[in-house]
Amino acid sequence: MKSTWTIGCPWRVDGTGMSPNLLLMAKLLVLVFARGGAWARMSDPFLPFFPWLDQMRSQGSWFGHGLHLMFLVGAAAVLLNVRPRIGCLLTGAAILLWQFGVMPEFRNHIFICGCLLFLAGCHGRTADPWLIRWQFALIYAGAATNKLLQADWWTGQFLVTWLTAELPAAGFRHASKLVPPLLLAKLLSWFTMVAEVALAVCFCRRQRVRPAVWIVLLLHGGMFVFLVGNRFGHFIEDILVGLIAFLSWPQQPLEVRTKGPDESLFSRLLRFLNPAASVHPAVPHKSADWLETTIGEARLTNGAALRTVLLFSPGFYFVLFAGDWALESLLGQGNIHRYLSVAVAVVLMASFAPAHWHGWRHLGRHFRPERPGVGL
Amino acid sequence: MKGFGFQPATAVGVAFLLLQLALVVRARFVDERFFCWAPFDEATRFETQVVIGGRTLSREETNRRYRHGSAGWENHSVHNVLRMIRQYESTYGRSDQAQVTVTYSINGHPSRIWTRPPLP
């Protein structure tokens, strides 16, 4: 049921007609896309992929202005929780029309934004984001098929050329001192192809989403670290944000119990990051624990509790996004920002990975939307 | 919005996924790689030269003509570039009678030359 006071609150994802995690994904995608500046380049059709779109060209660039309006209105709807599903459809459709309409502007990292936003708008409020899941399956099936049919991927020739002549990647250069370059490139090529085939297969079944997500993190996270912060436009952000759709979001607001005074800095920070959560001092002073929360039947404490609370706090993601944007604005897109990004990514992956270790025995168990898991 | 129910929107989503599937299958029968999830599958070094009325366009003029870089690296497929050039020269630029030459090397292999119109 819609809660009117979430309207106008960009950091709230509850109380709308969308699943909280899909809405969070959509908000972050809108921000990532807007940050990239691509929306300002939306224009009338030019060399459209579908030639009939050329009929939309005009002296006044009305089609282009229409795309701008669609995107801005849709973005406002998504961010301010005013009919966010319609907002997703508007922003997604604007991006997709632009991509189909202006061939020179085609970029996979822009196309995936449009796809995920549009499909988020097509989703009802169901626990299984199966449209998003099939989108991921399609992405990796297409990517794997393209690679498997190219001899230069089997021989490693593409990666050798890309990582030595085009980039060139310091990680590859250093690693190839230990392993012959072509052999290293061949191993990386085969790993990528195997991973993409595995992902295409896993995303086809909702019971295999958990291992699929970890393969995505390994593949793209590894690429991000190895290439020292190369984001391929904003493809890395798009994929990682898209994974939020697969979080088993709690059906009820989080109950978080802290130790110490109610207005401690820590309690206020948790409430800021997750205004819908109930945060109150209930951990006894004599207890060794400093934080508790309950997810379904699981009682979590301390580090595991903190990771869970952060994972289900929309503000956590907005803070990460804002921090990254601020750093980029201050430092530019040079090496310092890239090294810092890689360091933060490694810390985040190392911090959150252990939160899911206890769930490994649940690999392959049936999806149970009524039991929100720790993360996935 | 009244009438904006679950099923029609879901059907639209399914139709969109099927469109993408069709484009992925289509990519198996054409050389270009648009909308088929083939990012960074080729590293192609290319350079485009356009001659109109005996005058060779500058790099900036060529960039503006196709709204695409006239030289550098292309990571989808060089055929994406060639399709854009073909489509431009057969539509917006038909009256220019341009002679376009693209020299390219895919993944470090020996260079090839593509021309439009094709050389006799």
Side-chain angles (χ1 to χ4, degrees), chain B residues 57-69:
Chain B
L57 300 188
S58 69
R59 188 151 289 184
E60 291 71 30
E61 287 172 320
T62 307
N63 294 348
R64 276 198 303 275
R65 186 175 181 85
Y66 304 121
R67 292 197 204 171
H68 190 274

Side-chain angles (χ1 to χ4, degrees), chain A residues 164-247:
Chain A
T164 56
E166 183 180 349
L167 280 186
F172 185 82
R173 192 171 63 247
H174 294 312
S176 59
K177 291 174 185 171
L178 304 170
V179 181
L182 200 55
L183 176 62
L184 177 62
K186 193 180 291 189
L187 291 172
L188 291 173
S189 294
W190 290 7
F191 170 74
T192 303
M193 288 191 287
V194 167
E196 290 183 344
V197 169
L199 285 169
V201 170
C202 286
F203 274 118
C204 286
R205 297 190 67 198
R206 63 184 187 180
Q207 297 87 343
R208 295 282 179 258
V209 165
R210 189 191 296 256
V213 169
W214 283 112
I215 297 172
V216 169
L217 291 174
L218 183 64
L219 176 65
H220 294 290
M223 216 180 290
F224 183 70
V225 173
F226 187 71
L227 298 177
V228 195
N230 190 330
R231 303 185 185 199
F232 304 94
H234 48 74
F235 191 83
I236 297 288
E237 291 101 308
D238 297 337
I239 286 287
L240 294 178
V241 167
L243 294 181
I244 294 175
F246 305 115
L247 283 174

Side-chain angles (χ1 to χ4, degrees), chain B residues 67-110:
Chain B
R67 292 197 204 171
H68 190 274
S70 57
W73 290 93
E74 172 58 47
N75 289 120
H76 297 97
S77 167
V78 69
H79 295 281
N80 288 14
V81 177
L82 303 184
R83 164 157 176 185
M84 283 190 278
I85 293 172
R86 255 197 317 269
Q87 189 164 330
Y88 185 95
E89 299 302 339
S90 62
T91 54
Y92 314 142
R94 189 169 39 221
S95 60
D96 294 337
Q97 303 280 304
Q99 175 69 41
V100 185
T101 305
V102 179
T103 309
Y104 62 94
S105 163
I106 303 176
N107 297 337
H109 292 299

Side-chain angles (χ1 to χ4, degrees), chain A residues 68-331:
Chain A
H68 281 129
L69 190 63
M70 270 177 78
F71 179 78
L72 290 173
V73 169
V78 169
L79 292 174
L80 299 177
N81 299 334
V82 179
R83 301 202 179 271
R85 276 186 72 186
I86 296 177
C88 288
L89 289 173
L90 286 175
T91 50
I95 294 171
L96 293 172
L97 279 172
W98 176 48
Q99 289 288 280
F100 283 119
V102 185
M103 211 186 299
E105 293 283 1
F106 169 71
R107 300 287 185 279
N108 281 284
H109 68 265
I110 294 175
F111 186 52
I112 192 176
C113 256
C115 292
L116 292 177
L117 280 166
F118 190 75
L119 291 174
C122 292
H123 247 295
R125 196 190 168 94
T126 60
D128 176 24
W130 60 276
L131 285 174
I132 306 294
R133 181 165 52 81
W134 277 101
Q135 176 65 75
F136 271 80
L138 201 51
I139 288 170
Y140 289 107
T145 306
N146 281 305
K147 293 179 177 66
L148 290 170
L149 296 175
Q150 292 198 40
D152 283 349
W153 270 88
W154 289 99
T155 63
Q157 182 63 30
F158 160 73
L159 277 185
V160 160
T161 307
W162 185 46
L163 296 176
T164 56
E166 183 180 349
L167 280 186
F172 185 82
R173 192 171 63 247
H174 294 312
S176 59
K177 291 174 185 171
L178 304 170
V179 181
L182 200 55
L183 176 62
L184 177 62
K186 193 180 291 189
L187 291 172
L188 291 173
S189 294
W190 290 7
F191 170 74
T192 303
M193 288 191 287
V194 167
E196 290 183 344
V197 169
L199 285 169
V201 170
C202 286
F203 274 118
C204 286
R205 297 190 67 198
R206 63 184 187 180
Q207 297 87 343
R208 295 282 179 258
V209 165
R210 189 191 296 256
V213 169
W214 283 112
I215 297 172
V216 169
L217 291 174
L218 183 64
L219 176 65
H220 294 290
M223 216 180 290
F224 183 70
V225 173
F226 187 71
L227 298 177
V228 195
N230 190 330
R231 303 185 185 199
F232 304 94
H234 48 74
F235 191 83
I236 297 288
E237 291 101 308
D238 297 337
I239 286 287
L240 294 178
V241 167
L243 294 181
I244 294 175
F246 305 115
L247 283 174
S248 299
W249 207 268
Q251 300 287 334
Q252 302 298 326
L254 280 178
E255 287 281 336
V256 184
R257 297 173 287 281
T258 59
K259 185 195 252 184
D262 190 35
E263 290 307 310
S264 68
L265 183 61
F266 184 56
S267 295
R268 282 189 285 172
L269 178 63
L270 293 181
R271 286 195 196 97
F272 170 76
L273 294 178
N274 192 345
S278 172
V279 182
H280 50 272
V283 177
H285 283 285
K286 292 180 183 175
S287 170
D289 298 328
W290 46 272
L291 187 68
E292 283 180 12
T293 190
T294 307
I295 292 286
E297 296 161 8
R299 176 177 164 271
L300 303 169
T301 56
N302 304 331
L306 181 63
R307 286 189 289 268
T308 299
V309 169
L310 290 179
L311 210 55
F312 296 127
S313 294
F316 174 61
Y317 300 93
F318 292 127
V319 167
L320 284 178
F321 172 82
D324 184 54
W325 198 355
L327 276 178
E328 185 186 46
S329 302
L330 287 170
L331 302 172

